[in-house]
Amino acid sequence: MSDEVTPLTTPFPGLPALPGFPGGRRGSGDPVKGLLHRYRELCERAVDPLEIAAGLEAHGITDRTAARFRHRDVFSLAEELYARAPRGTDGRDAADGRDAADGRGPADGPVPVRGERAGARDRWWTVLTLLPGAVACLTLVELERSTGQRQLATGLAGALALSGVLSVCLRRGPLRAEGRRLPAAGLWVYGLLAYLLCGDGLLDELVTGGPDGPWPATTTPLTALACAVAPAAWCAHLFSVRARRRLAESHGLAEFTAGARPLLLALVGLHVCVLTALAATANLVFDENGPLAPTVTLGTLLLLARLLTVHGFPDAAATGLAVAAAVEVLSCASVLAGRLPGCDPLAVPVTQVVEMWGSPAVPALACGAAALGLLGHAAVTLSRASAHTRPQHN
C-alpha cells in the first residue's frame, strides 16, 4: 500500500474537502478510516455523536454521501466516527473533566453544548433588555413636555442614550454576535429606523409636491421597537436553549430538523404578536393613531436578521436589511425622479401605493417582503444542527 497522500475526493467523489486536514490513503479498504483521518480534530473533540454529525453536515456531507461510506445516514456515520475516534485531553477526557466539575459523571447524560452553562451565569442580560424601552419612554414623555431648544436637546440626549443601551444589549445575552457582525448591517439598521421616524412624513410631502418645510416625525413606533428588545431577547434565548436541548435529545439530524423548524416559526409568530401589542399600547398611551404594520414588519425583520447573525449567517442578515432600506430610499427617489421631464412614469408605482393605502404601506411592504425572505432562509439554515454547535461568545 502506498504511503502517498491524495485528496479524499479521489476515492470518495463528491465529498467536500476540509482545510487543514490531510486526505485519506489511496486504496484503503476501510472508507470510514479515511474520513476519520480527515476529520480527526472534530471527532476527537466531540462530546457526542450529534456534534460530529452537525460538523459533517456543516461541510456538506448528506445522507447520500454517507451511503458511500456504507451507512444509512449522516447520524449513523457520525456514531461510528465517534466510537472509533481516540479520546485525548481535548476530547472525552476534557468532557469528563467538565462533568466532574459540575458534580456529575460522564454517563449521566449528554454534555450541553459549549457556552450553555456560561449563559446561565449571564442571566443579568434580562435587566439590560428592559433599559431601551425605559429610555425611549422617558425620552418621549420629556419631548411632549418641552419645546424649542430644550426639545431638541432632549431628543439628541435620548437618541444617544438609546443607542448606548442598545449597543450594550447587543453585546450581552442571547442577542450577542461577537465576531460575526458585518459593519454595513449597522448602517442599514439605522437607515431603516430613520425612515420609520420620519420617512412617512417625507414621502407624503414628496407625493403632494413638497417638501415645502419640515415634515412631521413619529416617535411612537421607535418607542414600541425599543420596548420590543426584551421580548426579542427572550425569543432568541428560548430558541437557542430549546434547539440545543433538542439537539442533545435527537436520534438523528432529520429528527432535529423536524422539531427545530416549527420552534423557529412559533417563536417568530410569538414575537409578532407581542410586537403588535406593544405598538398598539404605545399608540394608546401616547394618544396617537399610528399604523402598526411598518413597526411590526420592521421589528420582525430585525429579529430574524439578528437570529441569523447570532447563529453564524451575517451575510444573509445584511442582505435582507439592505434590500429593505434600498426599497425605501428608492421609493422616495422615484417620486423625485418623476418630476424630471419625460420621467413621469417613474413616480407612478409609489404614488399609486400611497394614494391607495397611505405612505406607511411603503415601509410595510419593503420590510415585510425582506422579513419573509429572511424567514424562508432561516427556516432552512437555523433548522440545521450545525447552526447550534458553533462556539458561543461570552
Side-chain angles (χ1 to χ4, degrees):
M1 181 182 297
S2 172
D3 288 334
E4 179 183 357
V5 176
T6 59
L8 187 59
T9 51
T10 299
F12 307 111
L15 180 65
L18 178 62
F21 292 92
R25 298 180 183 273
R26 180 183 292 137
S28 172
D30 183 0
V32 178
K33 184 177 180 180
L35 191 65
L36 180 62
H37 183 60
R38 175 171 290 275
Y39 292 89
R40 181 179 62 252
E41 184 176 348
L42 169 66
C43 298
E44 289 178 355
R45 295 178 64 89
V47 296
D48 55 41
L50 263 175
E51 189 169 344
I52 297 178
L56 297 177
E57 179 198 47
H59 289 91
I61 296 181
T62 63
D63 290 343
R64 184 176 179 181
T65 309
R68 300 172 186 168
F69 295 91
R70 305 167 189 169
H71 283 273
R72 67 182 183 277
D73 53 33
V74 176
F75 184 67
S76 174
L77 176 61
E79 284 184 321
E80 180 174 350
L81 290 172
Y82 181 76
R84 294 175 58 173
R87 296 283 174 251
T89 55
D90 291 335
R92 170 63 77 178
D93 293 344
D96 292 348
R98 290 193 295 270
D99 288 338
D102 286 346
R104 67 175 188 173
D108 289 346
V111 179
V113 177
R114 285 184 295 274
E116 186 171 354
R117 285 189 292 270
R121 300 191 299 268
D122 197 36
R123 294 298 169 79
W124 58 276
W125 58 261
T126 56
V127 177
L128 286 177
T129 57
L130 297 174
L131 291 179
V135 170
C137 289
L138 290 174
T139 302
L140 188 54
V141 169
E142 185 61 27
L143 283 174
E144 292 184 346
R145 294 179 177 177
S146 57
T147 57
Q149 293 185 346
R150 180 182 174 183
Q151 189 177 52
L152 177 61
T154 298
L156 291 175
L160 290 174
L162 183 58
S163 179
V165 294
L166 279 174
S167 180
V168 173
C169 288
L170 296 180
R171 290 191 174 97
R172 299 288 187 275
L175 296 179
R176 69 187 181 279
E178 187 177 344
R180 297 171 180 164
R181 273 190 320 113
L182 292 180
L187 297 177
W188 303 128
V189 171
Y190 280 115
L192 291 168
L193 292 177
Y195 191 95
L196 185 67
L197 177 66
C198 56
D200 290 345
L202 173 61
L203 188 57
D204 278 332
E205 292 284 335
L206 291 175
V207 169
T208 56
D212 301 321
W215 57 88
T218 54
T219 55
T220 303
L222 288 181
T223 303
L225 285 181
C227 293
V229 172
W234 271 109
C235 287
H237 173 70
L238 286 175
F239 179 65
S240 179
V241 170
R242 297 280 185 179
R244 290 199 300 266
R245 185 175 301 167
R246 182 170 291 276
L247 180 61
E249 296 172 351
S250 297
H251 299 292
L253 295 177
E255 180 182 341
F256 171 77
T257 300
R261 190 167 295 159
L263 174 64
L264 172 66
L265 297 177
L267 288 176
V268 171
L270 174 62
H271 181 261
V272 169
C273 294
V274 173
L275 186 54
T276 303
L278 287 173
T281 302
N283 282 341
L284 183 63
V285 170
F286 295 102
D287 196 21
E288 290 191 8
N289 192 27
L292 304 182
T295 307
V296 174
T297 53
L298 177 55
T300 305
L301 174 62
L302 294 177
L303 173 67
L304 289 167
R306 197 63 189 183
L307 280 177
L308 285 167
T309 303
V310 167
H311 290 277
F313 303 95
D315 293 331
T319 300
L321 295 171
V323 168
V327 170
E328 292 180 346
V329 171
L330 289 175
S331 298
C332 295
S334 67
V335 177
L336 285 173
R339 299 178 182 179
L340 298 175
C343 296
D344 295 350
L346 293 177
V348 172
V350 176
T351 302
Q352 289 184 344
V353 169
V354 173
E355 290 176 351
M356 291 176 61
W357 299 305
S359 58
V362 172
L365 291 173
C367 294
L372 285 176
L374 288 190
L375 180 60
H377 185 74
V380 175
T381 56
L382 300 188
S383 60
R384 296 173 183 167
S386 54
H388 305 278
T389 56
R390 301 174 187 271
Q392 298 294 318
H393 297 278
N394 299 318

